[in-house]
Amino acid sequence: MLAGAASVQASSGQVVRHRLNRGGDRQLNRALHTIVMLRQVHHGPTRAYTSRRIAQGKSQREIRRCLKRTLARQLYRLLGGWCPMGLSGQKGERFQ
């Protein structure tokens, strides 16, 4: 949710819908978007994933959203849950 890549339920009645969370770090969200766009063109496994999801009937927008969430999780694990400026404003704080 820190990157604004998580979806938020926007359902009403029997219609189940999700929309993009507008909160979070917009610069990080933009960086994720750029990485995902480049991966969809140049990264073989991402191209295969995109083809599979298109065959399942997903739109390009939905596919990018899924890829951004996956990339945000991968980067979080790579950083080990550490952030230069934590949630409480303390430098080097670990996320809980």
Side-chain angles (χ1 to χ4, degrees):
M1 180 129 126
L2 293 173
S7 60
V8 176
Q9 273 195 344
S11 306
S12 78
Q14 293 187 358
V15 177
V16 178
R17 249 188 332 247
H18 292 85
R19 66 172 176 80
L20 186 62
N21 180 1
R22 296 289 176 203
D25 186 346
R26 303 313 298 159
Q27 287 180 323
L28 177 57
N29 189 36
R30 178 64 185 168
L32 291 174
H33 177 79
T34 303
I35 293 167
V36 165
M37 295 301 288
L38 288 170
R39 279 180 137 185
Q40 281 187 309
V41 174
H42 301 290
H43 188 241
T46 304
R47 282 198 316 255
Y49 174 82
T50 301
S51 299
R52 244 186 357 261
R53 297 297 279 200
I54 288 172
Q56 293 173 355
K58 298 288 183 185
S59 70
Q60 283 290 334
R61 205 171 194 182
E62 290 173 315
I63 295 167
R64 272 195 304 272
R65 198 174 298 138
C66 292
L67 288 168
K68 282 168 57 175
R69 278 195 305 267
T70 302
L71 180 60
R73 287 187 206 116
Q74 290 172 349
L75 290 174
Y76 179 80
R77 275 189 233 113
L78 185 66
L79 291 173
W82 182 84
C83 180
M85 187 63 77
L87 296 175
S88 67
Q90 300 296 319
K91 283 193 171 195
E93 179 184 6
R94 282 196 163 298
F95 293 133
Q96 295 290 325

Coordinates of all heavy atoms in Angstrom, one line a residue:
M1 N 0.8 -1.2 0.0 CA 0.0 0.0 0.0 C 0.9 1.3 0.0 O 0.4 2.3 -0.4 CB -0.9 0.0 1.2 CG -1.8 1.2 1.3 SD -3.5 0.8 1.5 CE -3.8 1.8 2.9
L2 N 2.1 1.2 0.4 CA 3.0 2.3 0.4 C 3.2 2.9 -0.9 O 3.5 4.1 -1.1 CB 4.3 2.0 1.1 CG 4.2 1.6 2.6 CD1 5.5 1.2 3.1 CD2 3.7 2.8 3.4
A3 N 3.2 2.1 -2.0 CA 3.5 2.5 -3.3 C 2.2 3.0 -4.0 O 2.3 3.5 -5.1 CB 4.2 1.4 -4.1
G4 N 1.1 2.7 -3.5 CA -0.2 3.0 -4.1 C -0.5 2.0 -5.2 O -1.3 2.2 -6.1
A5 N 0.2 0.8 -5.1 CA 0.0 -0.2 -6.1 C -1.2 -1.2 -5.7 O -1.6 -2.0 -6.5 CB 1.2 -1.0 -6.3
A6 N -1.6 -1.2 -4.4 CA -2.6 -2.1 -4.0 C -4.0 -1.6 -4.4 O -4.2 -0.4 -4.5 CB -2.6 -2.1 -2.4
S7 N -4.9 -2.5 -4.7 CA -6.2 -2.1 -5.1 C -7.1 -1.9 -3.9 O -6.9 -2.4 -2.9 CB -6.8 -3.2 -6.1 OG -6.9 -4.4 -5.4
V8 N -8.2 -1.1 -4.1 CA -9.2 -0.8 -3.1 C -10.5 -1.3 -3.6 O -10.8 -1.0 -4.8 CB -9.2 0.7 -2.8 CG1 -10.2 1.0 -1.7 CG2 -7.8 1.1 -2.3
Q9 N -11.3 -1.9 -2.8 CA -12.7 -2.3 -3.2 C -13.5 -1.1 -3.5 O -13.6 -0.1 -2.7 CB -13.3 -3.2 -2.2 CG -13.0 -4.6 -2.3 CD -13.9 -5.5 -1.6 OE1 -14.7 -5.1 -0.7 NE2 -13.9 -6.8 -1.9
A10 N -14.2 -1.1 -4.6 CA -15.1 0.0 -5.0 C -16.4 -0.7 -5.4 O -17.0 -0.3 -6.4 CB -14.5 0.8 -6.1
S11 N -16.9 -1.7 -4.7 CA -18.1 -2.4 -5.0 C -19.3 -1.7 -4.6 O -19.3 -1.0 -3.5 CB -18.0 -3.8 -4.4 OG -16.8 -4.4 -4.8
S12 N -20.4 -2.0 -5.3 CA -21.7 -1.5 -4.8 C -22.7 -2.6 -5.3 O -22.7 -3.0 -6.4 CB -22.1 -0.2 -5.4 OG -22.5 -0.2 -6.7
G13 N -23.6 -3.0 -4.4 CA -24.6 -4.0 -4.7 C -24.0 -5.3 -5.0 O -23.1 -5.8 -4.3
Q14 N -24.3 -5.9 -6.2 CA -23.8 -7.2 -6.6 C -22.6 -7.0 -7.5 O -22.1 -8.0 -8.0 CB -24.9 -8.0 -7.2 CG -26.0 -8.4 -6.2 CD -26.9 -9.4 -6.8 OE1 -26.9 -9.7 -7.9 NE2 -27.9 -9.8 -6.0
V15 N -22.3 -5.8 -7.9 CA -21.2 -5.5 -8.8 C -19.9 -5.5 -7.9 O -19.8 -4.6 -7.1 CB -21.4 -4.2 -9.5 CG1 -20.2 -3.9 -10.4 CG2 -22.6 -4.3 -10.4
V16 N -18.9 -6.4 -8.2 CA -17.7 -6.4 -7.5 C -16.6 -5.7 -8.4 O -16.4 -6.1 -9.5 CB -17.2 -7.8 -7.2 CG1 -15.9 -7.9 -6.5 CG2 -18.3 -8.5 -6.4
R17 N -16.1 -4.6 -7.9 CA -15.1 -3.8 -8.6 C -14.0 -3.4 -7.7 O -14.1 -3.3 -6.5 CB -15.8 -2.5 -9.1 CG -16.0 -2.4 -10.5 CD -16.4 -1.0 -10.9 NE -17.2 -0.3 -10.0 CZ -18.5 0.0 -10.0 NH1 -19.2 -0.3 -11.1 NH2 -19.1 0.7 -9.1
H18 N -12.8 -3.2 -8.3 CA -11.7 -2.6 -7.5 C -11.1 -1.4 -8.3 O -11.2 -1.4 -9.5 CB -10.6 -3.7 -7.4 CG -10.9 -4.9 -6.6 ND1 -11.7 -5.9 -7.0 CD2 -10.7 -5.1 -5.3 CE1 -11.9 -6.8 -6.1 NE2 -11.3 -6.3 -5.0
R19 N -10.6 -0.5 -7.6 CA -9.9 0.6 -8.2 C -8.6 0.8 -7.6 O -8.2 0.3 -6.6 CB -10.8 1.9 -8.1 CG -10.9 2.4 -6.6 CD -11.6 3.7 -6.6 NE -11.7 4.2 -5.2 CZ -10.8 4.7 -4.5 NH1 -9.6 4.9 -5.0 NH2 -11.0 5.1 -3.2
L20 N -7.7 1.6 -8.3 CA -6.4 1.8 -7.8 C -6.4 2.7 -6.6 O -7.1 3.7 -6.5 CB -5.6 2.5 -8.9 CG -4.1 2.7 -8.7 CD1 -3.4 1.4 -8.5 CD2 -3.5 3.5 -9.9
N21 N -5.6 2.4 -5.6 CA -5.4 3.2 -4.4 C -4.7 4.5 -4.8 O -3.6 4.4 -5.3 CB -4.7 2.4 -3.4 CG -4.5 3.2 -2.1 OD1 -4.9 4.3 -2.0 ND2 -3.8 2.5 -1.1
R22 N -5.3 5.6 -4.6 CA -4.6 6.9 -4.9 C -3.6 7.4 -3.9 O -3.0 8.4 -4.1 CB -5.7 8.0 -5.2 CG -6.6 7.6 -6.3 CD -5.9 7.8 -7.6 NE -6.7 7.4 -8.7 CZ -6.3 7.0 -9.9 NH1 -5.0 6.9 -10.1 NH2 -7.1 6.6 -10.8
G23 N -3.6 6.7 -2.8 CA -2.6 7.1 -1.7 C -1.2 6.5 -2.0 O -1.0 5.9 -3.0
G24 N -0.3 6.8 -1.1 CA 1.0 6.3 -1.2 C 2.0 7.1 -1.9 O 1.7 8.3 -2.3
D25 N 3.2 6.6 -2.1 CA 4.3 7.4 -2.7 C 4.1 7.4 -4.2 O 4.3 6.4 -4.9 CB 5.6 6.7 -2.3 CG 6.8 7.4 -2.7 OD1 6.7 8.3 -3.6 OD2 7.9 7.1 -2.3
R26 N 3.8 8.5 -4.8 CA 3.5 8.6 -6.2 C 4.8 8.5 -7.1 O 4.8 8.0 -8.2 CB 2.9 10.0 -6.6 CG 1.6 10.2 -5.8 CD 0.6 9.1 -5.8 NE 0.1 8.7 -7.1 CZ -0.4 7.5 -7.4 NH1 -0.5 6.6 -6.5 NH2 -0.8 7.3 -8.7
Q27 N 6.0 8.9 -6.5 CA 7.2 8.7 -7.3 C 7.5 7.2 -7.4 O 8.0 6.8 -8.4 CB 8.3 9.5 -6.6 CG 8.3 11.0 -6.8 CD 9.4 11.7 -6.1 OE1 9.9 11.3 -5.0 NE2 9.9 12.7 -6.7
L28 N 7.3 6.5 -6.3 CA 7.6 5.1 -6.3 C 6.6 4.4 -7.3 O 7.0 3.5 -8.0 CB 7.4 4.5 -4.9 CG 7.6 3.0 -4.8 CD1 8.9 2.5 -5.3 CD2 7.4 2.5 -3.3
N29 N 5.4 4.8 -7.3 CA 4.4 4.3 -8.2 C 4.8 4.5 -9.6 O 4.7 3.6 -10.5 CB 3.0 4.8 -7.9 CG 1.9 4.1 -8.7 OD1 2.0 2.9 -8.9 ND2 0.9 4.9 -9.1
R30 N 5.3 5.7 -9.9 CA 5.7 6.0 -11.3 C 6.9 5.1 -11.7 O 7.0 4.7 -12.8 CB 6.1 7.5 -11.4 CG 6.6 7.9 -12.7 CD 5.6 7.8 -13.8 NE 6.2 8.1 -15.1 CZ 5.6 7.8 -16.2 NH1 4.4 7.2 -16.2 NH2 6.2 8.1 -17.3
A31 N 7.9 4.9 -10.7 CA 9.0 4.0 -11.0 C 8.6 2.6 -11.3 O 9.0 2.0 -12.2 CB 10.0 4.1 -9.8
L32 N 7.6 2.1 -10.5 CA 7.1 0.8 -10.7 C 6.4 0.7 -12.1 O 6.6 -0.3 -12.8 CB 6.0 0.4 -9.7 CG 6.5 0.2 -8.2 CD1 5.4 0.0 -7.3 CD2 7.5 -1.0 -8.2
H33 N 5.7 1.7 -12.5 CA 5.0 1.7 -13.8 C 6.1 1.7 -14.9 O 5.9 0.9 -15.9 CB 4.2 3.0 -13.9 CG 3.6 3.2 -15.2 ND1 2.4 2.5 -15.6 CD2 3.9 3.9 -16.3 CE1 2.1 2.8 -16.8 NE2 3.0 3.7 -17.3
T34 N 7.1 2.5 -14.8 CA 8.2 2.5 -15.8 C 8.9 1.1 -15.9 O 9.1 0.6 -17.0 CB 9.2 3.6 -15.5 OG1 8.6 4.8 -15.4 CG2 10.3 3.6 -16.5
I35 N 9.2 0.5 -14.8 CA 9.8 -0.8 -14.8 C 8.9 -1.9 -15.4 O 9.3 -2.7 -16.3 CB 10.2 -1.2 -13.4 CG1 11.3 -0.3 -12.8 CG2 10.6 -2.7 -13.3 CD1 11.5 -0.5 -11.3
V36 N 7.6 -1.8 -15.1 CA 6.6 -2.8 -15.6 C 6.5 -2.6 -17.1 O 6.5 -3.6 -17.9 CB 5.3 -2.7 -14.9 CG1 4.2 -3.4 -15.7 CG2 5.4 -3.3 -13.5
M37 N 6.4 -1.4 -17.6 CA 6.3 -1.1 -19.0 C 7.5 -1.7 -19.8 O 7.4 -2.3 -20.8 CB 6.1 0.4 -19.3 CG 4.9 1.0 -18.8 SD 3.4 0.2 -19.4 CE 3.4 0.8 -21.1
L38 N 8.7 -1.5 -19.2 CA 10.0 -2.0 -19.9 C 10.0 -3.5 -19.8 O 10.4 -4.1 -20.8 CB 11.2 -1.4 -19.2 CG 11.4 0.1 -19.5 CD1 12.5 0.6 -18.6 CD2 11.8 0.3 -21.0
R39 N 9.6 -4.1 -18.7 CA 9.6 -5.5 -18.6 C 8.6 -6.2 -19.6 O 8.9 -7.2 -20.1 CB 9.2 -6.0 -17.2 CG 10.3 -5.9 -16.2 CD 9.8 -6.3 -14.8 NE 10.8 -7.2 -14.2 CZ 10.6 -7.8 -13.1 NH1 9.4 -7.7 -12.4 NH2 11.5 -8.6 -12.6
Q40 N 7.5 -5.5 -19.8 CA 6.5 -6.1 -20.8 C 7.0 -6.1 -22.2 O 6.6 -6.9 -23.0 CB 5.2 -5.3 -20.7 CG 4.3 -5.6 -19.6 CD 3.0 -5.0 -19.6 OE1 2.9 -3.8 -19.8 NE2 1.9 -5.7 -19.5
V41 N 8.0 -5.3 -22.5 CA 8.6 -5.3 -23.8 C 9.9 -6.2 -23.9 O 10.1 -6.9 -24.9 CB 9.0 -3.9 -24.2 CG1 9.7 -3.8 -25.6 CG2 7.7 -3.0 -24.3
H42 N 10.7 -6.2 -22.9 CA 12.0 -6.8 -23.0 C 12.3 -8.0 -22.1 O 13.3 -8.7 -22.3 CB 13.1 -5.7 -22.6 CG 13.1 -4.5 -23.4 ND1 13.5 -4.5 -24.8 CD2 12.7 -3.2 -23.2 CE1 13.4 -3.3 -25.3 NE2 12.9 -2.5 -24.4
H43 N 11.4 -8.3 -21.1 CA 11.7 -9.4 -20.2 C 10.8 -10.6 -20.6 O 9.6 -10.5 -20.6 CB 11.3 -8.9 -18.8 CG 11.7 -9.9 -17.7 ND1 10.7 -10.4 -16.8 CD2 12.9 -10.4 -17.3 CE1 11.3 -11.2 -16.0 NE2 12.6 -11.2 -16.2
G44 N 11.4 -11.7 -20.9 CA 10.7 -12.9 -21.5 C 9.6 -13.4 -20.5 O 8.5 -13.6 -21.0
P45 N 9.9 -13.7 -19.3 CA 8.9 -14.2 -18.4 C 7.7 -13.2 -18.2 O 6.6 -13.7 -18.1 CB 9.6 -14.4 -17.0 CG 11.0 -14.6 -17.4 CD 11.3 -13.7 -18.6
T46 N 7.9 -11.9 -18.2 CA 6.9 -11.0 -18.1 C 6.0 -11.0 -19.4 O 4.8 -10.9 -19.3 CB 7.4 -9.6 -17.8 OG1 8.2 -9.6 -16.7 CG2 6.3 -8.6 -17.6
R47 N 6.7 -11.1 -20.5 CA 5.9 -11.2 -21.8 C 5.0 -12.4 -21.8 O 3.9 -12.4 -22.2 CB 6.9 -11.2 -23.0 CG 7.4 -9.9 -23.3 CD 8.0 -9.8 -24.7 NE 8.8 -10.9 -25.1 CZ 10.2 -10.9 -25.1 NH1 10.8 -9.8 -24.9 NH2 10.8 -12.0 -25.4
A48 N 5.6 -13.6 -21.3 CA 4.8 -14.8 -21.2 C 3.6 -14.6 -20.3 O 2.5 -15.1 -20.6 CB 5.7 -16.0 -20.8
Y49 N 3.8 -14.0 -19.2 CA 2.7 -13.8 -18.2 C 1.7 -12.9 -18.8 O 0.5 -13.2 -18.7 CB 3.3 -13.1 -16.9 CG 2.2 -12.7 -16.0 CD1 1.7 -13.6 -15.0 CD2 1.8 -11.4 -15.9 CE1 0.8 -13.2 -14.1 CE2 0.8 -11.0 -15.0 CZ 0.3 -11.9 -14.1 OH -0.7 -11.5 -13.3
T50 N 2.1 -11.8 -19.5 CA 1.1 -10.9 -20.2 C 0.3 -11.7 -21.2 O -0.9 -11.5 -21.3 CB 1.9 -9.8 -20.9 OG1 2.6 -9.1 -19.9 CG2 0.9 -8.8 -21.5
S51 N 0.9 -12.5 -22.0 CA 0.2 -13.3 -23.0 C -0.8 -14.3 -22.4 O -1.9 -14.4 -22.9 CB 1.2 -14.2 -23.9 OG 2.1 -13.3 -24.5
R52 N -0.4 -14.9 -21.3 CA -1.3 -15.8 -20.6 C -2.5 -15.0 -20.0 O -3.7 -15.5 -20.2 CB -0.6 -16.4 -19.4 CG -0.4 -17.9 -19.5 CD 0.2 -18.6 -18.3 NE 0.6 -17.8 -17.1 CZ 1.9 -17.4 -16.9 NH1 2.8 -17.8 -17.7 NH2 2.2 -16.7 -15.8
R53 N -2.3 -13.9 -19.5 CA -3.4 -13.1 -18.9 C -4.3 -12.5 -20.0 O -5.5 -12.5 -19.7 CB -2.9 -12.0 -18.0 CG -2.0 -12.5 -16.8 CD -2.9 -13.3 -15.9 NE -3.6 -12.4 -15.0 CZ -4.1 -12.7 -13.9 NH1 -4.0 -13.9 -13.4 NH2 -4.8 -11.8 -13.2
I54 N -3.8 -12.2 -21.1 CA -4.6 -11.7 -22.2 C -5.5 -12.9 -22.7 O -6.7 -12.7 -23.0 CB -3.8 -11.2 -23.4 CG1 -3.2 -9.8 -23.0 CG2 -4.6 -11.0 -24.7 CD1 -2.1 -9.3 -24.0
A55 N -5.0 -14.1 -22.7 CA -5.8 -15.2 -23.1 C -6.9 -15.5 -22.1 O -7.9 -16.0 -22.5 CB -4.9 -16.5 -23.3
Q56 N -6.7 -15.1 -20.9 CA -7.7 -15.3 -19.8 C -8.7 -14.2 -19.9 O -9.7 -14.2 -19.1 CB -7.1 -15.3 -18.4 CG -6.2 -16.5 -18.2 CD -5.4 -16.4 -16.9 OE1 -5.5 -15.4 -16.2 NE2 -4.7 -17.4 -16.5
G57 N -8.5 -13.2 -20.8 CA -9.5 -12.1 -20.9 C -9.3 -10.9 -20.1 O -10.1 -10.0 -20.0
K58 N -8.1 -10.7 -19.5 CA -7.7 -9.6 -18.7 C -7.3 -8.4 -19.6 O -6.8 -8.6 -20.7 CB -6.6 -9.9 -17.8 CG -6.8 -10.9 -16.8 CD -7.8 -10.4 -15.7 CE -8.0 -11.5 -14.7 NZ -9.0 -11.1 -13.7
S59 N -7.6 -7.2 -19.2 CA -7.2 -6.0 -20.0 C -5.7 -5.7 -19.7 O -5.2 -6.1 -18.7 CB -8.1 -4.8 -19.7 OG -7.8 -4.4 -18.4
Q60 N -5.1 -4.9 -20.6 CA -3.8 -4.4 -20.4 C -3.6 -3.7 -19.0 O -2.6 -3.8 -18.3 CB -3.3 -3.5 -21.5 CG -3.0 -4.3 -22.8 CD -1.7 -5.1 -22.7 OE1 -0.8 -4.8 -21.9 NE2 -1.6 -6.1 -23.5
R61 N -4.6 -2.9 -18.7 CA -4.6 -2.1 -17.5 C -4.6 -3.1 -16.2 O -3.8 -2.8 -15.3 CB -5.8 -1.2 -17.4 CG -5.6 0.0 -16.6 CD -6.8 0.9 -16.9 NE -6.5 2.2 -16.3 CZ -7.3 3.2 -16.3 NH1 -8.5 3.0 -16.9 NH2 -7.0 4.3 -15.8
E62 N -5.4 -4.1 -16.3 CA -5.4 -5.0 -15.1 C -4.1 -5.8 -15.0 O -3.6 -6.1 -13.9 CB -6.6 -6.0 -15.3 CG -8.0 -5.4 -15.2 CD -9.1 -6.4 -15.5 OE1 -9.0 -7.1 -16.6 OE2 -10.0 -6.5 -14.8
I63 N -3.6 -6.2 -16.2 CA -2.3 -6.9 -16.2 C -1.2 -6.0 -15.6 O -0.4 -6.5 -14.7 CB -1.9 -7.3 -17.6 CG1 -3.0 -8.4 -18.1 CG2 -0.5 -7.9 -17.7 CD1 -2.9 -8.6 -19.6
R64 N -1.1 -4.8 -16.0 CA -0.1 -3.9 -15.4 C -0.3 -3.7 -13.9 O 0.7 -3.7 -13.2 CB -0.2 -2.5 -16.1 CG 0.7 -2.4 -17.4 CD 0.9 -1.0 -17.8 NE -0.4 -0.3 -18.0 CZ -1.0 -0.3 -19.2 NH1 -0.6 -0.9 -20.2 NH2 -2.2 0.4 -19.3
R65 N -1.5 -3.6 -13.5 CA -1.8 -3.5 -12.0 C -1.2 -4.7 -11.3 O -0.6 -4.5 -10.2 CB -3.3 -3.3 -11.8 CG -3.6 -2.7 -10.5 CD -5.1 -2.5 -10.4 NE -5.6 -1.5 -11.4 CZ -6.7 -1.5 -12.1 NH1 -7.5 -2.6 -12.0 NH2 -7.0 -0.6 -13.0
C66 N -1.5 -5.9 -11.8 CA -1.0 -7.1 -11.2 C 0.5 -7.1 -11.1 O 1.2 -7.5 -10.1 CB -1.5 -8.3 -11.9 SG -3.3 -8.6 -11.7
L67 N 1.1 -6.8 -12.3 CA 2.6 -6.7 -12.4 C 3.2 -5.7 -11.4 O 4.2 -6.0 -10.8 CB 3.0 -6.4 -13.8 CG 2.8 -7.6 -14.8 CD1 3.1 -7.0 -16.2 CD2 3.8 -8.7 -14.5
K68 N 2.6 -4.6 -11.2 CA 3.1 -3.6 -10.3 C 3.0 -4.1 -8.8 O 3.9 -3.9 -8.1 CB 2.3 -2.3 -10.4 CG 2.7 -1.5 -11.6 CD 1.8 -0.3 -12.0 CE 1.6 0.6 -10.9 NZ 0.8 1.8 -11.3
R69 N 1.9 -4.8 -8.5 CA 1.8 -5.3 -7.1 C 2.9 -6.4 -6.9 O 3.6 -6.4 -5.9 CB 0.4 -5.9 -6.9 CG -0.6 -5.0 -6.6 CD -1.8 -5.6 -6.0 NE -2.4 -6.7 -6.9 CZ -3.3 -6.4 -7.8 NH1 -3.9 -5.2 -7.9 NH2 -3.8 -7.4 -8.5
T70 N 3.1 -7.2 -7.9 CA 4.2 -8.3 -7.8 C 5.5 -7.6 -7.6 O 6.3 -8.0 -6.8 CB 4.1 -9.2 -9.0 OG1 2.8 -9.8 -9.1 CG2 5.1 -10.3 -8.9
L71 N 5.8 -6.6 -8.5 CA 7.1 -6.0 -8.4 C 7.3 -5.3 -7.1 O 8.4 -5.3 -6.5 CB 7.2 -5.0 -9.6 CG 8.5 -4.2 -9.7 CD1 9.7 -5.1 -9.9 CD2 8.4 -3.2 -10.8
A72 N 6.3 -4.6 -6.5 CA 6.4 -3.9 -5.2 C 6.7 -5.0 -4.2 O 7.6 -4.7 -3.3 CB 5.1 -3.2 -4.9
R73 N 6.1 -6.1 -4.2 CA 6.4 -7.2 -3.2 C 7.9 -7.7 -3.4 O 8.6 -7.9 -2.4 CB 5.5 -8.4 -3.4 CG 4.1 -8.1 -2.9 CD 3.3 -9.4 -2.9 NE 1.9 -9.0 -3.1 CZ 1.1 -9.3 -4.1 NH1 1.5 -10.0 -5.1 NH2 -0.1 -8.8 -4.1
Q74 N 8.3 -7.9 -4.6 CA 9.7 -8.3 -4.8 C 10.7 -7.3 -4.3 O 11.7 -7.7 -3.7 CB 9.9 -8.5 -6.3 CG 9.2 -9.7 -6.9 CD 9.3 -9.8 -8.4 OE1 9.7 -8.9 -9.1 NE2 8.9 -10.9 -9.0
L75 N 10.5 -6.0 -4.6 CA 11.4 -5.0 -4.1 C 11.4 -4.9 -2.6 O 12.4 -4.7 -2.0 CB 11.0 -3.6 -4.7 CG 11.3 -3.5 -6.2 CD1 10.7 -2.2 -6.8 CD2 12.8 -3.6 -6.5
Y76 N 10.2 -5.0 -2.0 CA 10.1 -5.0 -0.5 C 11.0 -6.1 0.1 O 11.7 -5.9 1.0 CB 8.7 -5.1 -0.1 CG 8.5 -5.1 1.4 CD1 8.5 -3.9 2.1 CD2 8.3 -6.2 2.1 CE1 8.4 -3.9 3.5 CE2 8.2 -6.2 3.5 CZ 8.2 -5.0 4.2 OH 8.0 -5.0 5.5
R77 N 10.9 -7.3 -0.5 CA 11.6 -8.4 0.0 C 13.1 -8.2 -0.2 O 14.0 -8.5 0.6 CB 11.2 -9.7 -0.7 CG 10.0 -10.4 0.0 CD 9.7 -11.7 -0.5 NE 8.3 -11.8 -0.9 CZ 7.9 -11.9 -2.1 NH1 8.7 -12.0 -3.1 NH2 6.6 -11.8 -2.3
L78 N 13.5 -7.6 -1.4 CA 14.9 -7.4 -1.7 C 15.5 -6.4 -0.7 O 16.6 -6.5 -0.3 CB 15.0 -6.8 -3.1 CG 16.4 -6.6 -3.7 CD1 17.1 -7.9 -3.8 CD2 16.3 -5.9 -5.0
L79 N 14.7 -5.4 -0.3 CA 15.2 -4.4 0.7 C 15.1 -4.9 2.1 O 15.7 -4.3 3.0 CB 14.3 -3.1 0.6 CG 14.5 -2.3 -0.7 CD1 13.4 -1.2 -0.7 CD2 15.9 -1.8 -0.8
G80 N 14.5 -6.1 2.3 CA 14.4 -6.7 3.7 C 13.5 -5.9 4.6 O 13.7 -6.0 5.8
G81 N 12.6 -5.2 4.0 CA 11.6 -4.5 4.9 C 12.2 -3.2 5.4 O 11.6 -2.5 6.2
W82 N 13.3 -2.7 4.9 CA 13.9 -1.5 5.4 C 13.6 -0.4 4.5 O 13.4 -0.5 3.3 CB 15.4 -1.7 5.4 CG 16.2 -0.5 5.9 CD1 16.4 -0.2 7.2 CD2 16.8 0.5 5.1 NE1 17.1 0.9 7.3 CE2 17.4 1.4 6.0 CE3 16.8 0.8 3.8 CZ2 18.0 2.6 5.6 CZ3 17.5 2.0 3.4 CH2 18.1 2.8 4.3
C83 N 13.4 0.8 5.1 CA 13.1 2.0 4.3 C 13.9 3.2 4.8 O 14.1 3.3 6.0 CB 11.6 2.4 4.5 SG 11.1 3.8 3.6
P84 N 14.5 4.0 3.9 CA 15.3 5.1 4.4 C 14.6 6.0 5.4 O 15.2 6.6 6.3 CB 15.7 5.9 3.1 CG 15.0 5.2 2.0 CD 14.3 4.0 2.5
M85 N 13.3 6.2 5.2 CA 12.5 7.1 6.1 C 11.3 6.3 6.5 O 10.4 6.1 5.7 CB 12.1 8.4 5.5 CG 11.5 9.4 6.4 SD 12.5 9.9 7.8 CE 13.6 11.1 7.0
G86 N 11.2 5.7 7.7 CA 10.2 4.8 8.1 C 8.8 5.6 8.3 O 8.7 6.8 8.1
L87 N 7.8 4.8 8.7 CA 6.5 5.3 8.8 C 6.4 6.4 9.9 O 5.6 7.3 9.8 CB 5.5 4.2 9.1 CG 5.4 3.1 8.0 CD1 4.5 2.0 8.5 CD2 4.8 3.8 6.8
S88 N 7.2 6.3 11.0 CA 7.1 7.3 12.0 C 8.1 8.4 11.8 O 8.2 9.3 12.6 CB 7.4 6.6 13.4 OG 8.8 6.2 13.4
G89 N 8.8 8.4 10.7 CA 9.7 9.4 10.4 C 11.2 9.2 10.9 O 12.0 10.0 10.7
Q90 N 11.4 8.1 11.5 CA 12.7 7.7 12.0 C 13.6 7.1 10.9 O 13.1 6.2 10.2 CB 12.6 6.7 13.2 CG 11.9 7.3 14.3 CD 12.5 8.5 15.0 OE1 13.7 8.5 15.1 NE2 11.7 9.4 15.3
K91 N 14.8 7.6 10.7 CA 15.6 7.0 9.6 C 16.0 5.6 9.9 O 16.3 5.2 11.0 CB 16.9 7.9 9.5 CG 16.7 9.2 8.8 CD 18.0 9.8 8.4 CE 17.7 10.9 7.5 NZ 18.8 11.4 6.8
G92 N 16.0 4.8 8.9 CA 16.4 3.4 9.0 C 15.4 2.5 9.7 O 15.8 1.4 10.1
E93 N 14.2 2.9 9.8 CA 13.2 2.1 10.5 C 12.8 0.9 9.7 O 12.6 1.0 8.5 CB 12.0 3.0 10.9 CG 10.9 2.3 11.6 CD 9.7 3.1 11.8 OE1 9.7 4.3 11.3 OE2 8.8 2.6 12.4
R94 N 12.5 -0.2 10.4 CA 12.0 -1.4 9.7 C 10.5 -1.3 9.7 O 9.9 -0.9 10.6 CB 12.5 -2.7 10.4 CG 13.9 -3.1 10.1 CD 14.1 -4.5 10.5 NE 15.2 -5.2 10.0 CZ 15.5 -5.4 8.7 NH1 14.7 -5.0 7.8 NH2 16.5 -6.1 8.3
F95 N 9.9 -1.8 8.6 CA 8.4 -1.9 8.5 C 8.0 -3.1 9.4 O 8.7 -4.1 9.5 CB 8.0 -2.2 7.1 CG 8.2 -1.0 6.2 CD1 8.7 -1.2 4.9 CD2 7.8 0.3 6.5 CE1 9.0 -0.2 4.1 CE2 8.0 1.3 5.7 CZ 8.6 1.1 4.4
Q96 N 6.9 -3.0 10.0 CA 6.3 -4.0 10.8 C 5.3 -4.8 10.0 O 4.5 -4.4 9.3 CB 5.6 -3.5 12.0 CG 6.6 -2.7 12.9 CD 7.5 -3.7 13.6 OE1 7.2 -4.8 14.0 NE2 8.8 -3.2 13.8

